[in-house]
Amino acid sequence: MTKILVVDDDRVLADVIAFTLRREGYQILLSHDGETALQCWEQELPDIIVLDIGLPKIDGFEVCRHVRAHANTPIILLTVRDEEDDIIHGLDLGADDYITKPFSPRQLVARVRAVLRRASQSLNEPWQQVGNLRLDSSRRELSIDDARTFTLTSLENRLLGYLMLNANRVMTIDALIDHVWGPARGDRDMLRQLIHRLRSKIEPDPSNPIYIETVPGLGYGLIAEPDIDD
Amino acid sequence: MTKILVVDDDRVLADVIAFTLRREGYQILLSHDGETALQCWEQELPDIIVLDIGLPKIDGFEVCRHVRAHANTPIILLTVRDEEDDIIHGLDLGADDYITKPFSPRQLVARVRAVLRRASQSLNEPWQQVGNLRLDSSRRELSIDDARTFTLTSLENRLLGYLMLNANRVMTIDALIDHVWGPARGDRDMLRQLIHRLRSKIEPDPSNPIYIETVPGLGYGLIAEPDIDD
DNA sequence: TCAAGTTGTGACAAAGCTGTGACAGTTTGG
DNA sequence: CCAAACTGTCACAGCTTTGTCACAACTTGA
């Protein structure tokens, strides 16, 4: 059974979350501060963590960083709305998604499912399809519309695979760097170059990209169904 | 035209479904077992799949899992009533919605529409909506009436997000400054400029603002439902 | 009425970000 | 072992964003 670690110092909210997720058939582990959360994580190795940022003592960022240093356990952050910096920081640290409080049970369940699905998808299967892009990761081949096909380099393949896995979401620069080169390698210059090379390989008009969009100051995203006339 | 793949081994029911959906203007692809369904999916890449769970050989869950491993094609499951486990299992595998048999044509059409709409809005994008303004903070994009869309800068996004969060309430100048620049940064000049720039970007007539109102001596507020002739 | 403060507006420059080309070191494949 | 491909590094131009300032119009209160 899928185990979910829920971490929130607001006990009422934590109970609500636990109740919601239990009803969906998940097994719930509860923590109310960062320290016990880390202990619990280490002992139980849950399949996913739902993590509030504002925790006493060890805060959510610390927990996130610590977990990411040791494993890939998916993490969903709980943040207050309009704290954009928290969200970006969290995603930079490797969180997989976030939910802004207040949220509905349905939203929560949907996110948990989506993140779990992405996590399981990332492993197995050799190819994935998004819009008219089909990426064969094992052979590093990209076909567009079953017509043109390109051979990608290893880095290009990793970047595009990650973008496709998170299609239509904007990935922060640091998150991309971490996923392509691993933590604490790679820098922004390298990512810029990589994006540039990937674009000039796959975009019909590389200076007016339709697949890979830039969100200045934030990062990049893959557009699933691009308008032709963009 | 929107392509729908209908998979059901009950040929009578499959035909009824196909008929119903065709009448709504959709293009229908039919399969009666899992194997041909997967073939059909891979070749045709339909926009959505209506999938019965109880299929011979490869069952609906398998089909669902296989599709999800490669793409995000929306899936609606057909289940028999009271099989809650089936539903939960299906949703865990990434199905987008479900309908319990028996169902009416109207239900089916409504679900299909709903799922397609959600999918086109790329699922659970966390945007906030106030009146006819919709702000997607993760992209820093503002759409008005689902028609025009503007790209905002980081500061503009933070300001507008805060105003929308407190729509119809007047925010004091200092509160705004604190929320946009953080405590003890920023001054009134900067806020004045920011308001000015935001207005000239989103207001139809920037010198007669209808969205962002000025309350002299106090601050600014966002008007949720502006009169056109203001 | 007048003075002080507030607001809208335009101009400008500094700082930062992004796309781009070039080049060299490294890896890969034959 | 060589050539080709891949990758990291750097510089630079162009653009956007942001802070700063000046000034005119307006409001307010004594």
Side-chain angles (χ1 to χ4, degrees):
Chain A
M1 196 203 296
T2 308
K3 274 191 287 190
I4 303 182
L5 171 57
V6 175
V7 192
D8 199 321
D9 62 323
D10 178 346
R11 289 171 190 251
V12 179
L13 183 55
D15 283 345
V16 172
I17 296 175
F19 174 78
T20 304
L21 294 176
R22 252 191 216 109
R23 204 176 40 188
E24 299 294 321
Y26 298 111
Q27 178 187 343
I28 305 299
L29 310 166
L30 267 180
S31 290
H32 300 295
D33 66 273
E35 205 165 334
T36 53
L38 284 176
Q39 277 176 18
C40 183
W41 170 71
E42 217 164 306
Q43 283 173 22
E44 302 280 343
L45 291 178
D47 299 282
I48 183 173
I49 305 177
V50 176
L51 177 63
D52 187 31
I53 285 188
L55 296 175
K57 287 189 255 185
I58 304 180
D59 72 2
F61 295 131
E62 251 346 286
V63 176
C64 189
R65 193 195 328 267
H66 191 270
V67 170
R68 266 294 168 284
H70 298 280
N72 282 326
T73 316
I75 297 177
I76 297 181
L77 289 181
L78 301 181
T79 72
V80 280
R81 173 154 268 158
D82 81 296
E83 286 296 337
E84 201 195 7
D85 291 346
D86 281 1
I87 295 172
I88 293 178
H89 188 204
L91 294 179
D92 280 348
L93 287 179
D96 295 81
D97 206 343
Y98 63 91
I99 310 181
T100 55
K101 295 188 273 195
F103 52 84
S104 68
R106 298 188 53 170
Q107 272 182 308
L108 174 67
V109 173
R111 286 307 169 84
V112 168
R113 288 217 167 95
V115 169
L116 281 173
R117 189 195 321 155
R118 278 204 299 267
S120 67
Q121 182 183 355
S122 59
L123 302 175
N124 325 322
E125 305 295 331
W127 59 275
Q128 52 181 329
Q129 175 103 28
V130 169
N132 53 359
L133 301 181
R134 170 188 296 227
L135 178 64
D136 185 334
S137 290
S138 60
R139 337 182 64 186
R140 304 206 306 237
E141 262 180 14
L142 174 79
S143 13
I144 303 184
D145 282 330
D146 286 335
R148 292 157 297 167
T149 73
F150 310 88
T151 307
L152 303 182
T153 72
S154 135
L155 292 182
E156 289 163 352
N157 178 61
R158 226 176 303 172
L159 174 64
L160 187 57
Y162 187 56
L163 287 176
M164 286 176 72
L165 193 60
N166 296 282
N168 281 324
R169 303 177 65 216
V170 177
M171 298 285 110
T172 68
I173 293 179
D174 287 343
L176 288 170
I177 292 175
D178 279 0
H179 268 265
V180 173
W181 285 274
R185 303 158 164 280
D187 56 31
R188 299 176 170 231
D189 277 351
M190 289 155 65
L191 181 62
R192 253 196 0 251
Q193 264 306 106
L194 188 57
I195 291 273
H196 178 55
R197 283 164 176 154
L198 185 52
R199 273 176 175 159
S200 56
K201 192 173 281 189
I202 73 174
E203 292 277 1
D205 175 4
S207 51
N208 287 53
I210 60 174
Y211 294 116
I212 301 173
E213 83 176 315
T214 301
V215 181
L218 267 185
Y220 299 87
L222 186 92
I223 302 171
E225 286 169 23
D227 296 332
I228 308 299
D229 50 33
D230 217 7
Chain B
M1 194 205 297
T2 307
K3 272 189 288 190
I4 303 182
L5 171 58
V6 175
V7 192
D8 200 320
D9 62 324
D10 177 345
R11 288 171 189 248
V12 178
L13 181 55
D15 283 345
V16 172
I17 296 175
F19 174 77
T20 305
L21 294 175
R22 253 193 215 108
R23 204 175 41 187
E24 298 294 317
Y26 298 112
Q27 178 187 344
I28 305 299
L29 311 164
L30 267 180
S31 291
H32 300 294
D33 65 274
E35 202 166 335
T36 53
L38 285 176
Q39 276 176 19
C40 182
W41 170 72
E42 205 166 322
Q43 282 173 22
E44 301 283 342
L45 291 177
D47 299 282
I48 184 172
I49 305 177
V50 176
L51 178 63
D52 186 32
I53 285 187
L55 296 175
K57 288 190 257 185
I58 303 180
D59 71 2
F61 294 131
E62 243 355 277
V63 176
C64 188
R65 190 199 328 271
H66 190 270
V67 170
R68 267 297 169 280
H70 298 288
N72 283 324
T73 315
I75 297 177
I76 297 180
L77 288 181
L78 301 181
T79 70
V80 282
R81 192 182 293 278
D82 294 338
E83 288 294 337
E84 192 171 298
D85 288 348
D86 279 3
I87 295 173
I88 289 180
H89 187 205
L91 293 177
D92 270 345
L93 287 178
D96 295 80
D97 204 346
Y98 61 91
I99 310 181
T100 53
K101 295 190 270 197
F103 51 85
S104 68
R106 297 185 50 173
Q107 273 183 307
L108 174 67
V109 173
R111 289 304 172 87
V112 168
R113 285 224 179 91
V115 170
L116 281 173
R117 175 156 27 89
R118 249 185 296 158
S120 72
Q121 289 173 6
S122 62
L123 234 50
N124 6 314
E125 292 267 344
W127 31 253
Q128 38 182 327
Q129 175 117 30
V130 169
N132 52 358
L133 301 181
R134 189 171 65 203
L135 179 65
D136 180 349
S137 285
S138 75
R139 280 205 162 64
R140 301 214 288 246
E141 255 178 21
L142 175 79
S143 3
I144 302 185
D145 284 329
D146 286 332
R148 291 157 298 166
T149 72
F150 309 88
T151 307
L152 305 182
T153 71
S154 150
L155 292 183
E156 289 163 355
N157 177 67
R158 228 177 296 176
L159 173 64
L160 187 57
Y162 188 56
L163 287 176
M164 287 176 72
L165 197 59
N166 301 78
N168 283 325
R169 226 178 309 166
V170 178
M171 296 285 110
T172 68
I173 292 180
D174 289 337
L176 289 171
I177 292 177
D178 277 3
H179 262 267
V180 173
W181 285 273
R185 303 154 161 279
D187 56 31
R188 305 183 159 223
D189 275 352
M190 289 154 66
L191 180 63
R192 249 186 18 239
Q193 263 304 110
L194 188 57
I195 291 274
H196 177 56
R197 282 164 176 153
L198 186 51
R199 274 177 175 158
S200 58
K201 192 174 280 189
I202 73 174
E203 293 278 0
D205 175 5
S207 51
N208 286 56
I210 59 174
Y211 295 117
I212 302 172
E213 86 179 311
T214 302
V215 181
L218 261 183
Y220 299 88
L222 186 90
I223 303 170
E225 285 168 25
D227 297 331
I228 308 298
D229 48 33
D230 215 5

